[in-house]
């Protein structure tokens, strides 16, 4: 039997929240009165982050361990939410990995300007300082795509119990926008919501990993810039649309947070964490009847 507090308070889970955009998303959601479970794969980093937020007066922030690549860890989180709240109102799938091994000094020496990063002009420049290996790509896909799917699947029964329709926010990237994929057929199929399914999207992911192993990325028209990361986010966007179709009572969207100064881009980003978390927070707090199955560039609806 739920007590009154349990039934009226809104609760959220944010993944990868010990630092960066995830940490700031927890701070902003907590400040707006939501009870937030800050999750992190590393207990020390996670509990330190929670302490920082408690220091800011946000006693409504809890910590729970979560490694999105680990099914047992995911199940332990689901059990915790079940016991603690009996439902979940907001899930922000924020944890992410870049999929490359970087020579950071070499990257800094290139002194690439933000515009060249964003437009794709820097693609050839960075090839010498960024390597995609089979392992780095797998870690990226397992975190940014399969990690999101596994966390979401485990929490869906709790999200379905949210009284006013749950919100799911998948933190994506402009790297996943369809126009950036050189292969026209992949672009077309990924953009066709009618015929999209989870199985079909998984198939694209496995095809990408196969092409990577066989040194056939370029010839098969995958992005040259951050290939694994770009694929993981394009597939995450497609998955978001399929999920939104399956769960029409929820608002399920994906968002590019902006080009934000964090570890994941080796601090090449230009926006502050406050700016970077705005999209996620807005989508987490969408009022009833809001859009679902959409892609947002920060706080504005954009083309997939
Ligand atoms: N910064 C940007 O300009 C930008 C642009 C587009 C999209 N994004 C997206 O924004 C999201 C947040 O990134 P950020 O910029 O804030 O980078 P960040 O500061 O590097 O944060 C990434 C977070 O993900 C966590 N993480 C990685 N693998 C994990 C796993 N297996 N299980 C649980 N947590 C894991 C990291 O934990 P550890 O500390 O333990 O490594 C960290 O907390 C990512 O999805 C990223 O792709 C960022």
């Amino acid at each position: 039997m739920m007590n009154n507090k349990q039934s009226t308070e809104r609760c959220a889970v944010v993944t990868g929240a010990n630092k960066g955009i995830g940490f700031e998303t927890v701070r902003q959601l907590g400040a707006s009165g939501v009870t937030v479970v800050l999750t992190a794969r590393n207990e020390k980093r996670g509990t330190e982050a929670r302490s920082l937020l408690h220091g800011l007066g946000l006693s409504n922030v809890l910590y729970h361990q979560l490694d999105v690549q680990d099914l047992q860890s995911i199940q332990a989180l689901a059990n915790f939410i079940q016991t603690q709240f009996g439902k979940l109102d907001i899930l922000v799938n924020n944890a992410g990995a870049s999929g490359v091994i970087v020579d950071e000094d070499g990257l800094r020496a290139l002194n690439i300007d933000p515009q060249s990063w964003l437009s794709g002009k820097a693609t050839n420049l960075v090839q010498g300082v960024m390597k995609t290996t089979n392992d780095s790509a797998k870690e990226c896909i397992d975190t940014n795509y399969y990690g999101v799917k596994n966390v979401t699947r485990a929490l869906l029964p709790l999200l379905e119990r949210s009284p006013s329709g749950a919100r799911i926010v998948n933190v994506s990237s402009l790297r996943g926008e369809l126009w950036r994929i050189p292969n026209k057929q992949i672009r077309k199929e990924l953009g066709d919501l009618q015929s999209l399914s989870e199985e079909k999207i998984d198939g694209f992911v496995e095809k990408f990993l196969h092409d990577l192993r066989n040194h056939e990325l370029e010839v098969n028209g995958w992005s040259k810039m951050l290939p694994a990361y770009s694929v993981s986010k394009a597939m995450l966007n497609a998955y978001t649309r399929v999920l939104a179709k399956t769960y029409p009572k929820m608002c399920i969207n994906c968002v590019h947070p902006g080009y934000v100064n964090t570890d994941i881009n080796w601090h090449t980003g230009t926006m502050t964490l406050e700016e970077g978390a705005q999209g996620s927070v807005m989508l987490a707090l969408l009022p009833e009847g809001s859009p679902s199955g959409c892609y947002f560039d920060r706080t504005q609806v954009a083309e997939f």
Side-chain angles (χ1 to χ4, degrees):
M1 185 68 182
M2 276 194 289
N3 64 33
N4 200 35
K5 183 168 172 282
Q6 275 178 323
S7 60
T8 53
E9 75 181 345
R10 261 189 308 176
C11 47
V13 163
V14 182
T15 71
N18 51 291
K19 65 179 181 183
I21 297 167
F23 175 80
E24 176 61 17
T25 301
V26 173
R27 189 190 70 75
Q28 292 187 21
L29 285 177
S32 75
V34 176
T35 300
V36 194
V37 183
L38 178 160
T39 68
R41 59 178 160 182
N42 178 283
E43 175 145 13
K44 183 166 182 287
R45 292 197 284 273
T47 51
E48 279 173 5
R50 178 194 53 191
S51 298
L52 267 174
L53 293 173
H54 282 184
L56 298 176
L58 298 172
S59 55
N60 51 341
V61 173
L62 289 71
Y63 162 76
H64 200 278
Q65 196 273 346
L66 175 66
D67 181 338
V68 305
Q69 289 195 67
D70 177 347
L71 290 176
Q72 276 186 3
S73 165
I74 293 173
Q75 194 51 52
L77 174 73
N79 295 345
F80 171 77
I81 303 293
Q82 165 66 46
T83 312
Q84 196 79 16
F85 308 107
K87 58 137 192 185
L88 183 63
D89 303 293
I90 298 163
L91 169 62
V92 183
N93 285 307
N94 167 85
S98 71
V100 283
I101 297 165
V102 171
D103 163 9
E104 290 198 36
D105 291 336
L107 179 64
R108 259 187 294 277
L110 289 173
N111 207 12
I112 297 167
D113 65 281
Q115 201 38 47
S116 302
W117 267 114
L118 296 175
S119 67
K121 255 192 179 167
T123 304
N124 288 329
L125 270 179
V126 300
Q127 297 303 317
V129 294
M130 275 183 193
K131 294 286 168 235
T132 302
T133 64
N134 290 330
D135 286 347
S136 70
K138 188 171 182 310
E139 187 198 9
C140 175
I141 301 271
D142 284 351
T143 307
N144 302 0
Y145 177 67
Y146 289 119
V148 170
K149 284 190 20 159
N150 289 334
V151 170
T152 306
R153 189 178 297 133
L155 295 175
L156 267 169
L158 292 156
L159 289 159
E160 284 192 281
R161 280 189 229 142
S162 173
S164 50
R167 306 287 178 258
I168 301 178
V169 183
N170 291 334
V171 182
S172 185
S173 166
L174 52 72
R175 298 281 166 218
E177 290 170 6
L178 290 174
W179 69 271
R180 291 177 191 267
I181 303 175
N183 184 312
K184 197 173 159 196
Q185 187 61 26
I186 300 175
R187 272 201 318 265
K188 189 164 163 265
E189 289 190 37
L190 271 183
D192 179 15
L193 182 57
Q194 289 289 341
S195 66
L196 268 184
S197 65
E198 275 194 56
E199 294 72 29
K200 194 165 177 182
I201 304 167
D202 289 357
F204 280 121
V205 170
E206 294 313 314
K207 171 79 169 83
F208 165 78
L209 290 170
H210 169 273
D211 288 349
L212 174 67
R213 281 193 298 274
N214 291 290
H215 308 285
E216 288 174 347
L217 289 189
E218 222 170 324
V219 67
N220 285 321
W222 298 104
S223 296
K224 209 172 159 191
M225 178 61 126
L226 296 166
Y229 185 79
S230 300
V231 164
S232 72
K233 298 296 192 181
M235 303 306 162
L236 175 63
N237 289 352
Y239 167 69
T240 304
R241 303 179 82 181
V242 171
L243 199 67
K245 229 166 86 173
T246 316
Y247 293 92
K249 290 204 182 100
M250 302 184 189
C251 288
I252 304 175
N253 294 293
C254 49
V255 60
H256 166 62
Y259 190 34
V260 186
N261 183 349
T262 68
D263 286 348
I264 207 166
N265 55 28
W266 315 277
H267 295 274
T268 59
T270 50
M271 289 180 188
T272 63
L273 293 181
E274 285 80 358
E275 292 168 319
Q278 271 168 10
S280 294
V281 171
M282 182 198 85
L283 295 176
L285 299 177
L286 282 177
E288 256 176 88
S290 294
S292 186
C294 298
Y295 168 66
F296 288 76
D297 183 341
R298 303 192 58 213
T299 56
Q300 304 296 316
V301 177
E303 284 287 309
F304 273 98

